[in-house]
Amino acid sequence: MILEAVMLQVKKGMEQEYEEAFHKASKIISSMKGYISHELQRCLESEGKYLLLVSWETLEDHTVGFRQSHEYQKWKNQLHHFYDPFPTVEHFQKVDLS
């Protein structure tokens, strides 16, 4: 499993509109091959700051399957105009500590 982690900064005053748009856009990402789950967390200390966590079966399910799909263009059109600055996406793999 791969964890996609994205720190998002939403433009001031657009937080409620963003959360509503994200709720609608969630249907897009959850329909993709290799998608496992996602969650959006709102920061308590910094207004407009969010953490998006998405679990994928493989890195390619996100970077190729989703990012190069027609569905990604819909996702982008619904959400990307809220961000300033544009976020950096990082991927993580669980460390086996046993």
Side-chain angles (χ1 to χ4, degrees):
M1 183 190 84
I2 299 300
L3 180 64
E4 170 195 354
V6 190
M7 196 65 67
L8 305 165
Q9 184 62 49
V10 171
K11 295 174 186 173
K12 187 175 176 133
M14 298 185 80
E15 295 86 0
Q16 185 62 39
E17 185 182 349
Y18 171 70
E19 291 180 20
E20 291 168 7
F22 190 92
H23 178 73
K24 291 176 186 173
S26 290
K27 294 174 185 150
I28 296 170
I29 199 167
S30 63
S31 72
M32 298 304 299
K33 178 188 174 296
Y35 164 88
I36 298 172
S37 66
H38 74 283
E39 59 184 79
L40 182 66
Q41 302 277 335
R42 183 186 316 114
C43 183
L44 299 176
E45 290 82 16
S46 298
E47 188 176 343
K49 189 175 188 178
Y50 293 83
L51 174 62
L52 171 61
L53 300 171
V54 185
S55 296
W56 296 96
E57 289 180 17
T58 69
L59 178 63
E60 292 74 19
D61 286 332
H62 177 236
T63 59
V64 178
F66 180 54
R67 280 287 192 75
Q68 295 180 16
S69 70
H70 177 68
E71 288 82 0
Y72 177 72
Q73 295 306 312
K74 292 180 190 175
W75 170 272
K76 184 177 169 180
N77 289 338
Q78 291 181 27
L79 299 175
H80 285 197
H81 66 280
F82 288 104
Y83 306 135
D84 186 26
F86 193 76
T88 300
V89 176
E90 297 178 301
H91 299 92
F92 297 84
Q93 191 168 37
K94 189 173 185 177
V95 174
D96 183 6
L97 300 176
S98 59

